[in-house]
Amino acid sequence: MRLKLSVPRQVIDNWFKNLEESPALAVTVASLWLLVIGWIAFGWNLGNMGLIDETEPLFAEASRQMLITGDWITPFFNGETRFDKPALIYWCQAIAYHIIGVNEWAVRLPSALAAMGVVALAFYTVQWHFAKQDEVEQVKNLPRRYLTAAIAAALMALNPEMMVWGRIGVSDMLLTGCIGSSLLCFFLGYAQNHPPIIIANFRLPNQWYLACYVLMAGAILTKGPVGIVLPGLIMIAFGLYLGKFWELWREMRPILGIGIVLFLSVPWYALVTWRNGWNFINAFFGYHNIERFTEVVNGHSAPWYFYFVVVLLGFAPYSVYIPAALARVKFWQRSHWLKQERSQHLGLFACFWFLGVFGFFSIAVTKLPSYVLPLMPAAAILVALFWSDLFPSSQPLQSLRISAWVNVAFLTVVAIALYNLTQIAGPDPAAPELYVQMEKSGILKFGGIIWLLSAIITASLILSYRYRQIITINLVGFIAFIAIALMPAVSIMDQQRQLPLRELSTLIVESKQPNEEVIMVGFKKPTVTFYTQQLINYIPSSPQVLEYIQKQESQPTRPQSLLILVEQEKLREMELPPDNYKSLHSKGAYHLIRFPLKTVQKDKSNIS
């Protein structure tokens, strides 16, 4: 029996030795691993489903407008300026349109690439950290080095929060990619401590610090001041804790660095302000930055524990290990960290990163699940470092045993929740048949079975003292859940919620007469604007649309009719006689009608 166990171990050791002796092979294997997990997490079916209301089509259409108008300064949506976010995400999407066409793939490609970029850089950082640790310990623990890096990358890619935002064409993942990569570059610049770059007797920070500044400029161009404030606070706190603030000041040359950041990011802000004046300043800096931090915007308030729930579910199923991973760092033992070499500070830095993002957005009054997305790379690194302790020895810490049993309980709760999701979530007015179709497909039951089996297998591994395989079971269970339950569920959601709007958008394009106006009543779905490539007049209520019809009817120059997209309930509220309009089509919860304005002229009493 011992011989049988020693053979595979010897094979594994030889395989890792080959990786060490052949850098080309190591790069090839690492690249394949990153491509596989990146494709599963961010590439699989990326553009095979329609845009998702409400936010994604706002970005998609603003980027399309940039491409067709050639105005790369001021973003527009539906004929109005859109100052919610800076221009970098629009530029990226517009460039993608130019390369592969105006489609869903191009809308989401920048988010997917940003996610894959930060995952790849994290892989490099973790494996470099352990290579230096092997030098410090004077050992060659190749499994710990490569497997921990592989686990960190997989945990970072294969979690709900990263997958959702890495597959949606909005600015959140691009921001996370810029902030996360800037922080990783900072750590590499700090840990490697390379000499400065000297050009013509001019002293520049090392290449990693320079990359950090460039990426912070990208973050500012993605979402505003938070792109420098958030990573800046984390780096300053880290330097102060270690008593290296002034040492880092001399190394990083922050005055020069801020100059680089401003040089790269300020021109767009200057140009858009020059063109739009106080309209941009009030909308972007006032409303979308200051007010979002100090006041509740758009009703996005939440209790103090909101982000605890977001991280628990958003980093599932590995989130149960975060408390133990943070405790492992023992950041309260400052004297211990002061004795460590810089290269061994990765866990401490990831701790500051995680807590910095979590604390910053917990203080903010407006709360959204996507706000804490930039801490997910830090969470993955912390949990991977926590599991790395098992590679020299299979004897787990007590914290790991406790966390593993919590993992079993958590997976069991998730399985039960999936079985009862239709009762928990309640009906969806925009897609009345959504949960009926999900129940018919059986995917909720399959998802529950996957996590229940994962819980059972994890429990058996704990009882048999095989702790190393537990994280693998979590990852395999998550991939199985993606393939068997999540992807089919997303497809059903697309068919039930978004497909009717896309089909009606196609009908609008085909049937729209010259000068005919398109009106959307009672709801606001920006996908219609994107897929019709038409200006849409949004009118909130039935009485308002009736007033608008009367106003149009009284104009001396008017179109002969209006195309009205309305929910079934709102159509009944309008109480239009059937002879006064023509029903063109109905899909899902929506109805498309043509309303001849001449009919209103003949019989105003019908809409009074």
Side-chain angles (χ1 to χ4, degrees):
M1 185 68 178
R2 290 179 181 175
L3 180 60
K4 290 182 180 179
L5 288 175
S6 64
V7 172
R9 187 180 297 116
Q10 185 65 38
V11 171
I12 292 172
D13 289 343
N14 288 337
W15 190 77
F16 280 111
K17 187 177 179 181
N18 290 334
L19 289 180
E20 179 70 11
E21 294 175 352
S22 174
L25 178 61
V27 170
T28 301
V29 172
S31 299
L32 287 174
W33 174 250
L34 293 171
L35 286 173
V36 168
I37 62 173
W39 176 78
I40 293 173
F42 311 116
W44 186 4
N45 284 334
L46 179 66
N48 292 343
M49 286 166 285
L51 301 185
I52 302 170
D53 285 306
E54 308 290 331
T55 308
E56 189 177 27
L58 297 174
F59 286 89
E61 177 61 13
S63 302
R64 191 185 71 84
Q65 288 294 320
M66 275 194 173
L67 182 65
I68 64 174
T69 63
D71 183 352
W72 295 78
I73 303 300
T74 304
F76 285 91
F77 174 81
N78 202 39
E80 298 179 354
T81 55
R82 185 172 194 269
F83 296 137
D84 297 44
K85 301 295 181 289
L88 185 58
I89 182 63
Y90 306 123
W91 294 342
C92 292
Q93 290 178 336
I95 292 169
Y97 288 157
H98 180 72
I99 296 171
I100 63 176
V102 179
N103 53 52
E104 292 85 353
W105 285 94
V107 173
R108 294 162 179 161
L109 189 60
S111 294
L113 292 177
M116 294 176 71
V118 71
V119 169
L121 186 57
F123 178 94
Y124 170 80
T125 304
V126 173
Q127 70 83 25
W128 179 87
H129 160 76
F130 280 106
K132 302 305 288 186
Q133 185 169 329
D134 287 351
E135 291 181 12
V136 171
E137 297 175 354
Q138 297 183 344
V139 298
K140 269 202 173 183
N141 194 337
L142 299 180
R144 178 179 65 180
R145 174 180 172 182
Y146 289 109
L147 289 178
T148 305
I151 288 173
L155 297 181
M156 196 176 299
L158 298 169
N159 64 76
E161 186 94 350
M162 288 287 286
M163 279 191 62
V164 167
W165 300 108
R167 289 173 162 272
I168 297 180
V170 298
S171 61
D172 296 273
M173 183 51 74
L174 186 58
L175 176 71
T176 296
C178 289
I179 287 181
S181 297
S182 71
L183 289 170
L184 289 170
C185 286
F186 163 78
F187 176 78
L188 289 168
Y190 161 80
Q192 294 184 6
N193 198 18
H194 287 165
I197 299 171
I198 299 176
I199 301 176
N201 294 326
F202 190 74
R203 188 167 169 268
L204 295 172
N206 68 49
Q207 66 270 29
W208 289 112
Y209 287 145
L210 288 174
C212 172
Y213 290 132
V214 171
L215 288 161
M216 280 196 289
I220 293 172
L221 282 170
T222 301
K223 221 163 188 178
V226 71
I228 190 172
V229 171
L230 185 55
L233 289 174
I234 293 168
M235 290 184 285
I236 290 171
F238 178 72
L240 289 173
Y241 175 88
L242 290 171
K244 295 180 181 291
F245 178 81
W246 293 112
E247 189 176 342
L248 283 171
W249 181 277
R250 290 189 295 272
E251 291 175 15
M252 293 187 71
R253 303 200 66 188
I255 302 300
L256 173 64
I258 292 173
I260 293 171
V261 172
L262 296 178
F263 175 78
L264 294 174
S265 61
V266 164
W268 176 80
Y269 284 93
L271 288 171
V272 74
T273 303
W274 175 64
R275 284 194 181 181
N276 300 277
W278 285 102
N279 289 335
F280 170 74
I281 294 172
N282 292 333
F284 179 75
F285 291 105
Y287 183 75
H288 290 290
N289 282 272
I290 297 174
E291 287 189 28
R292 281 181 180 268
F293 195 83
T294 59
E295 301 175 20
V296 177
V297 171
N298 293 336
H300 296 306
S301 63
W304 64 269
Y305 55 82
F306 176 69
Y307 288 127
F308 287 93
V309 178
V310 171
V311 174
L312 175 65
L313 300 179
F315 195 63
Y318 335 105
S319 49
V320 294
Y321 296 101
I322 291 176
L326 288 169
R328 172 190 176 274
V329 174
K330 297 180 180 178
F331 59 87
W332 55 87
Q333 294 183 357
R334 184 169 178 268
S335 59
H336 164 76
W337 288 107
L338 292 178
K339 297 175 185 176
Q340 301 295 313
E341 293 189 7
R342 287 188 175 197
S343 62
Q344 302 312 296
H345 289 166
L346 180 59
L348 179 67
F349 180 67
C351 180
F352 273 89
W353 179 351
F354 180 92
L355 295 176
V357 176
F358 191 91
F360 182 85
F361 287 110
S362 293
I363 294 171
V365 178
T366 298
K367 290 180 169 59
L368 285 169
S370 61
Y371 284 1
V372 292
L373 182 62
L375 66 72
M376 294 299 162
I381 292 171
L382 285 167
V383 173
L385 294 178
F386 178 58
W387 280 92
S388 72
D389 293 340
L390 288 175
F391 293 119
S393 170
S394 59
Q395 296 299 319
L397 299 172
Q398 183 65 22
S399 60
L400 178 56
R401 294 190 184 96
I402 296 171
S403 298
W405 281 116
V406 175
N407 192 182
V408 173
F410 180 69
L411 295 179
T412 304
V413 171
V414 170
I416 295 171
L418 285 170
Y419 272 110
N420 299 278
L421 184 61
T422 55
Q423 289 77 25
I424 296 172
D428 186 346
E433 297 293 316
L434 175 61
Y435 292 113
V436 174
Q437 294 299 321
M438 282 194 176
E439 285 190 345
K440 284 183 179 179
S441 68
I443 56 175
L444 298 178
K445 292 181 181 179
F446 293 146
I449 290 170
I450 288 169
W451 290 121
L452 188 59
L453 286 174
S454 299
I456 293 170
I457 294 172
T458 301
S460 67
L461 290 172
I462 297 171
L463 294 174
S464 58
Y465 300 101
R466 289 181 292 175
Y467 289 88
R468 289 180 181 175
Q469 291 85 353
I470 291 175
I471 199 68
T472 304
I473 294 302
N474 279 267
L475 284 167
V476 171
F478 191 80
I479 293 171
F481 178 72
I482 293 170
I484 297 172
L486 185 59
M487 285 298 178
V490 172
S491 179
I492 292 173
M493 290 176 65
D494 178 64
Q495 292 171 9
Q496 294 294 316
R497 299 187 88 254
Q498 298 299 142
L499 182 59
L501 289 170
R502 294 200 302 275
E503 292 177 339
L504 289 172
S505 297
T506 301
L507 185 60
I508 289 171
V509 173
E510 293 172 352
S511 60
K512 184 176 179 293
Q513 298 174 357
N515 299 322
E516 192 171 38
E517 186 178 14
V518 183
I519 297 175
M520 188 177 292
V521 181
F523 66 100
K524 196 171 186 177
K525 299 294 184 183
T527 48
V528 179
T529 304
F530 177 78
Y531 286 111
T532 61
Q533 299 185 6
Q534 305 282 340
L535 293 178
I536 307 296
N537 187 357
Y538 298 99
I539 299 180
S541 67
S542 300
Q544 287 175 304
V545 76
L546 296 177
E547 291 176 7
Y548 183 78
I549 291 172
Q550 288 182 329
K551 182 179 178 181
Q552 288 294 105
E553 182 269 337
S554 65
Q555 298 297 321
T557 57
R558 62 179 186 277
Q560 292 185 346
S561 60
L562 301 173
L563 277 179
I564 301 178
L565 185 60
V566 60
E567 292 176 325
Q568 301 284 4
E569 183 180 347
K570 296 292 182 182
L571 182 59
R572 288 192 293 268
E573 289 180 4
M574 291 169 67
E575 298 181 349
L576 296 174
D579 294 339
N580 278 21
Y581 66 90
K582 180 181 178 181
S583 177
L584 299 181
H585 215 302
S586 62
K587 284 285 184 180
Y590 310 104
H591 207 101
L592 180 65
I593 66 172
R594 170 170 282 121
F595 194 97
L597 290 178
K598 59 183 180 181
T599 304
V600 180
Q601 269 188 313
K602 292 177 181 178
D603 189 2
K604 295 182 182 179
S605 63
N606 289 335
I607 60 170
S608 60

